[in-house]
Amino acid sequence: MSATMRAARMHRVGEPMKLEELPVPAPGRGDVRVAVHAVNIVPNLANILNMWTTWFPHSPLPTLPAIFGLDPAGVIEAVGEGVEGFEVGDRVYVNPGRSCGSCRSCRGGDSINCASYAFAGYFGFSPSAIHLLDRYHGGLAEYMVAPAYSLVKLPDSLSFEAAARFGYIGTMYSALRKAEAGPGKKILINGISGTLGIAAALLAPAMGLTHVYGTGRDKALLDQVAKLAGGRLHLHSLDDGPVDEWIHEQTDGYGVDIYIDALGPGAPHETFRAGMRAMARGGIAVNIGAVAGDLPIDIHRMMDQQLRLIGSAWFTSAEGQTMADMAGAGLLDLSPLEHHVYPLEQVNEAISGIAVRNGGFSNFIISPAATS
């Protein structure tokens, strides 16, 4: 194979990425090299590249110039020393979560809460994450190196383009698991027509969800979402009234057992608070959408009603493997996703073009293996 590869790198915050020829990385002990076939361009990537250092200076980007790209999928092309269970030719999704392996959380088997946890090709959650960010680059290149613990084996029936969406689907899946979602539970998803929210509609049949309530503003998008999940969905436009009033009408005053907020940083705080008011006694709320700022919560009501509010960022490779197994068994149908595929040369156009999309149905993909 060639000693060099094409890669897109950002040299300065706010500047377009540059296509360059770089050495093909060699896998170290415990690592594999993956030939990248698809990388998901997440809706938040433009903000990360342009505004992150201003918004969250305590959460580092990789040392520039750097290769970004959060959600890669491809084929293992080389295996490093000490790797077990994976072989050359395996089709994989690469979970970008990176952990140090030696902090208290890692030694306790809780690597997603590693003190240096980082998203390879994206950002870290603490200043110490910079070491992991600089060791493992993202997927916007023909090849990448990744630790074997990050890999998810893909069934032949699952396309690389669909697998590259696992990041946001997995975020919803992990939130549903944390909230003990299952048959009989009443569930509210704020923002069900978005990139995160639509995952609940896709996961509903696989997880046996029987009562899924969802909100959004765009009625045309909600009409599309309504066709998913075999009639399990009950949808409401935020333009038609407050969320909590609608939920109490739908549930005869009971409320929902689980509330998952998938709204983004710019969403109104009142929508989040209305979701909290829609909860039944003993309910669990999970925030995955990154609503930002100081948000007043009725703590006394949370105590009286025994409510729980937790944050959930991302998912484990084990949870990713479960999703892949569900897809292989035909329980998780990702065919509603609309793939918009770009070659690596058009990465900047793809990042800017994602602002115009068909809600959560649109899946923007870079294919490093393709040429313009």
Side-chain angles (χ1 to χ4, degrees):
M1 62 176 291
S2 172
T4 63
M5 66 176 184
R6 295 177 309 134
R9 287 203 299 179
M10 187 176 78
H11 285 249
R12 292 180 181 83
V13 171
E15 291 187 0
M17 294 185 184
K18 297 180 180 179
L19 197 65
E20 300 174 319
E21 287 284 334
L22 299 174
V24 173
R29 181 174 179 80
D31 295 338
V32 303
R33 181 168 62 227
V34 175
V36 182
H37 286 245
V39 187
N40 183 253
I41 300 296
V42 298
N44 199 37
L45 181 57
N47 287 332
I48 299 297
L49 300 178
N50 295 323
M51 303 301 298
W52 194 256
T53 53
T54 300
W55 290 350
F56 304 106
H58 57 284
S59 298
L61 296 180
T63 301
L64 302 180
I67 301 172
F68 286 79
L70 185 66
D71 273 324
V75 177
I76 294 178
E77 195 267 343
V79 175
E81 182 183 357
V83 172
E84 301 287 344
F86 293 94
E87 301 176 351
V88 171
D90 284 346
R91 304 173 74 252
V92 293
Y93 164 79
V94 182
N95 189 323
R98 300 289 179 268
S99 52
C100 72
S102 58
C103 70
R104 185 180 294 270
S105 291
C106 286
R107 284 181 285 135
D110 187 20
S111 60
I112 201 167
N113 286 318
C114 170
S116 299
Y117 194 74
F119 286 155
Y122 213 41
F123 63 84
F125 289 84
S126 69
S128 62
I130 191 68
H131 304 294
L132 290 167
L133 289 169
D134 291 348
R135 179 179 176 184
Y136 294 108
H137 66 68
L140 290 173
E142 292 181 300
Y143 299 95
M144 67 178 297
V145 164
Y149 67 70
S150 70
L151 302 178
V152 172
K153 285 188 179 181
L154 302 176
D156 291 338
S157 59
L158 185 63
S159 71
F160 292 122
E161 292 79 12
R165 182 67 175 268
F166 262 25
Y168 275 36
I169 298 171
T171 297
M172 178 61 75
Y173 176 63
S174 186
L176 290 168
R177 289 188 72 241
K178 288 181 177 75
E180 303 171 7
K185 295 287 185 70
K186 293 179 171 60
I187 301 167
L188 167 64
I189 310 294
N190 253 353
I192 198 169
S193 59
T195 305
L196 273 172
I198 201 172
L202 298 174
L203 287 162
M207 300 185 72
L209 306 182
T210 50
H211 297 81
V212 182
Y213 301 91
T215 70
R217 288 200 181 277
D218 189 318
K219 294 184 179 181
L221 269 177
L222 289 174
D223 287 342
Q224 292 184 61
V225 175
K227 299 174 183 178
L228 306 176
R232 293 173 171 85
L233 307 179
H234 310 272
L235 306 179
H236 174 74
S237 171
L238 294 175
D239 292 332
D240 290 339
V243 176
D244 52 329
E245 294 180 8
W246 171 68
I247 286 294
H248 286 115
E249 290 172 0
Q250 291 286 310
T251 62
D252 294 326
Y254 176 80
V256 292
D257 305 294
I258 298 168
Y259 163 44
I260 297 181
D261 195 275
L263 300 176
H269 287 179
E270 174 53 27
T271 306
F272 185 99
R273 296 175 65 203
M276 294 290 294
R277 293 194 298 270
M279 295 170 65
R281 182 174 175 81
I284 302 174
V286 188
N287 178 34
I288 61 174
V291 167
D294 294 331
L295 198 157
I297 298 291
D298 188 345
I299 298 296
H300 187 84
R301 178 174 181 270
M302 289 188 67
M303 179 191 71
D304 281 354
Q305 297 300 312
Q306 298 202 120
L307 305 178
R308 284 172 282 173
L309 170 60
I310 60 177
S312 182
W314 215 244
F315 65 107
T316 66
S317 297
E319 289 172 321
Q321 191 61 63
T322 300
M323 292 194 305
D325 294 345
M326 288 192 293
L331 297 173
L332 177 58
D333 180 12
L334 301 183
S335 63
L337 298 179
E338 303 167 359
H339 305 307
H340 306 272
V341 182
Y342 296 78
L344 188 59
E345 292 84 353
Q346 295 181 17
V347 61
N348 293 308
E349 293 91 326
I351 292 171
S352 60
I354 199 171
V356 181
R357 63 187 188 274
N358 186 26
F361 289 95
S362 291
N363 194 33
F364 283 71
I365 295 293
I366 298 296
S367 177
T371 57
S372 57

